[in-house]
């Protein structure tokens, strides 16, 4: 079930992207985007929740043994690492602002229009901004959250968003753990602890996953690197091809790709080839018996 929670995030981003593109084709007003985004996201979440409810009722019910929950050192270790992670975001830090999305968001909020101010040149009217950058809707979503919540850009993009990204990343690796160690809760917790520890120890190394998450967690590049790529790998591994296609589309909405072909596309295609090869070997092996 955990992977479906993360899938809900891509549904929300997809609805926000639809609102972004429609606003670009109309008046580019942030107020228009807020209205469209609210309608699209609410509709998308309701439809997605309805589909999940229908699927859960149709799926065969499997008897599961309810294990007694008890405090283990692996669980305590994960809680400690999670607290250390949260402390970093809550106490404040200097973010890495190399990504254009931060400047675009500020321009959107100040001008009241999306993609109106060039992030580096400061020119209005969006002149000189490539079309492939204009269609990326992450900055518009951040602008809407900032406007509606009346919080600062720093609060939303450097505190709230990275915490959400980290939490969703842990959910993806929780799904990995459930498949790798289905009968051992302790190993699953230890696996999650190792992932959380990896982010912490790489938080001071420029360019590594931990640094991107801890100092530029709002960036589309970060979301792709720490969350979307593991998600694409997991759903491809589990042959959930519809979700794999969703991951490819989500990447095209988040970061600059070559006509929509990014890392997720490569991962999904490679995993598809691996599955076809393994299926062929199994079929050939069964035919020889």
């Amino acid at each position: 079930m955990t992977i479906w929670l993360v899938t809900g995030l891509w549904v929300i981003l997809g609805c926000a992207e639809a609102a972004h593109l429609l606003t670009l084709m109309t008046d580019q007003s942030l107020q228009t985007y807020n209205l469209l985004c609210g309608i699209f996201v609410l509709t998308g979440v309701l439809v997605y929740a309805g589909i999940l409810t229908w699927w859960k009722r149709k799926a065969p019910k499997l008897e599961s043994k309810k294990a007694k929950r008890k405090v283990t050192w692996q669980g305590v270790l994960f809680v400690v690492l999670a607290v250390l992670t949260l402390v970093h975001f809550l106490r404040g830090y200097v973010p890495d602002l190399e990504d254009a999305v931060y400047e675009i968001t500020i321009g959107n909020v100040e001008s009241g229009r999306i993609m109106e101010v060039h992030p580096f040149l400061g020119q209005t009217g969006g002149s000189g901004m490539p079309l492939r950058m204009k269609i990326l809707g992450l900055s518009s979503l951040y602008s809407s959250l900032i406007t509606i919540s009346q919080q600062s850009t720093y609060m939303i993009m450097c505190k709230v968003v990275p915490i959400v990204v980290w939490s969703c990343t842990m959910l993806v690796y929780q799904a990995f753990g459930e498949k790798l160690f289905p009968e051992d809760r302790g190993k699953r917790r230890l696996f999650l602890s190792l992932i959380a520890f990896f982010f912490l120890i790489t938080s001071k190394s420029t360019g590594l996953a931990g640094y991107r998450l801890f100092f530029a967690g709002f960036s589309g590049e970060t979301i792709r690197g720490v969350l979307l790529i593991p998600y694409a790998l997991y759903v491809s591994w589990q042959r959930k091809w519809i979700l794999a296609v969703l991951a490819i589309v989500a990447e095209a909405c988040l970061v600059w790709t070559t006509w929509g072909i990014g890392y997720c596309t490569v991962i999904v295609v490679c995993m598809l080839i691996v599955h076809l090869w393994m299926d062929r070997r199994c079929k050939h092996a069964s035919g020889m018996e």
Side-chain angles (χ1 to χ4, degrees), residues 56-88:
K56 189 175 182 180
R57 289 179 178 177
K58 290 291 183 180
K61 294 182 179 180
L62 301 175
E63 294 185 3
S64 58
K65 297 180 180 179
K66 293 185 178 179
K68 293 182 179 179
R69 295 183 179 273
K70 58 181 181 179
V71 178
T72 61
W73 68 268
Q74 297 98 330
V76 173
L77 176 61
F78 177 73
V79 170
V80 171
L81 294 171
V83 169
L84 291 175
T85 301
L86 292 176
V87 166
H88 165 79

Side-chain angles (χ1 to χ4, degrees), residues 144-177:
S144 181
L145 293 174
I146 293 167
T147 303
I148 294 173
S149 66
Q150 294 297 305
Q151 296 295 321
S152 66
T153 304
Y154 181 85
M155 174 63 71
I156 297 298
M157 297 184 66
C158 298
K159 291 182 179 289
V160 176
V161 172
I163 291 175
V164 172
V165 172
W166 182 86
S167 301
C168 289
T169 301
M170 292 299 105
L171 287 177
V172 172
Y173 284 106
Q174 170 69 16
F176 271 107

Side-chain angles (χ1 to χ4, degrees), residues 43-245:
T43 303
V45 170
L46 290 176
V47 171
Y48 181 66
I51 293 174
L52 279 185
T53 303
W54 172 83
W55 175 80
K56 189 175 182 180
R57 289 179 178 177
K58 290 291 183 180
K61 294 182 179 180
L62 301 175
E63 294 185 3
S64 58
K65 297 180 180 179
K66 293 185 178 179
K68 293 182 179 179
R69 295 183 179 273
K70 58 181 181 179
V71 178
T72 61
W73 68 268
Q74 297 98 330
V76 173
L77 176 61
F78 177 73
V79 170
V80 171
L81 294 171
V83 169
L84 291 175
T85 301
L86 292 176
V87 166
H88 165 79
F89 294 117
L90 295 178
R91 72 181 179 184
Y93 60 96
V94 179
D96 185 344
L97 302 181
E98 291 184 3
D99 196 300
V101 69
Y102 197 92
E103 297 296 332
I104 293 175
T105 301
I106 293 176
N108 291 346
V109 174
E110 292 180 349
S111 66
R113 297 171 62 83
I114 63 173
M115 295 298 176
E116 182 73 11
V117 181
H118 195 288
F120 304 120
L121 303 179
Q123 299 173 347
T124 58
S127 57
M129 190 183 299
L131 177 61
R132 188 66 187 90
M133 181 181 290
K134 282 187 176 182
I135 66 176
L136 301 179
L138 197 58
S139 59
S140 295
L141 178 59
Y142 293 155
S143 303
S144 181
L145 293 174
I146 293 167
T147 303
I148 294 173
S149 66
Q150 294 297 305
Q151 296 295 321
S152 66
T153 304
Y154 181 85
M155 174 63 71
I156 297 298
M157 297 184 66
C158 298
K159 291 182 179 289
V160 176
V161 172
I163 291 175
V164 172
V165 172
W166 182 86
S167 301
C168 289
T169 301
M170 292 299 105
L171 287 177
V172 172
Y173 284 106
Q174 170 69 16
F176 271 107
E178 290 172 355
K179 294 297 180 181
L180 294 172
F181 314 107
E183 303 297 333
D184 196 324
R185 189 185 299 271
K187 288 183 179 179
R188 294 201 297 269
R189 290 173 176 171
L190 181 59
F191 178 69
L192 274 183
S193 298
L194 290 175
I195 299 299
F197 181 66
F198 170 76
F199 286 134
L200 282 168
I201 63 173
T202 58
S203 62
K204 301 299 183 181
S205 303
T206 305
L208 294 184
Y211 179 86
R212 295 292 305 177
L213 177 62
F214 277 73
F215 294 96
F218 54 84
S219 167
E221 295 283 350
T222 301
I223 297 173
R224 174 174 66 179
V226 303
L227 177 55
L228 189 55
I229 287 179
Y231 174 90
L233 182 60
Y234 175 82
V235 296
S236 299
W237 175 36
Q238 296 300 308
R239 300 175 185 258
K240 301 180 185 294
W241 300 117
I242 294 179
L243 301 187
V245 172

Side-chain angles (χ1 to χ4, degrees), residues 13-14 16-22 24-25 33 104 114-115 129-140 249-257 259-260:
L13 289 176
E17 177 67 19
H20 173 78
L21 294 176
L22 190 56
L24 283 180
M25 292 186 288
Y33 172 80
I104 293 175
I114 63 173
M115 295 298 176
M129 190 183 299
L131 177 61
R132 188 66 187 90
M133 181 181 290
K134 282 187 176 182
I135 66 176
L136 301 179
L138 197 58
S139 59
S140 295
V249 175
E251 182 180 11
C253 296
L254 285 173
V255 295
W256 192 322
T257 58
W259 304 106

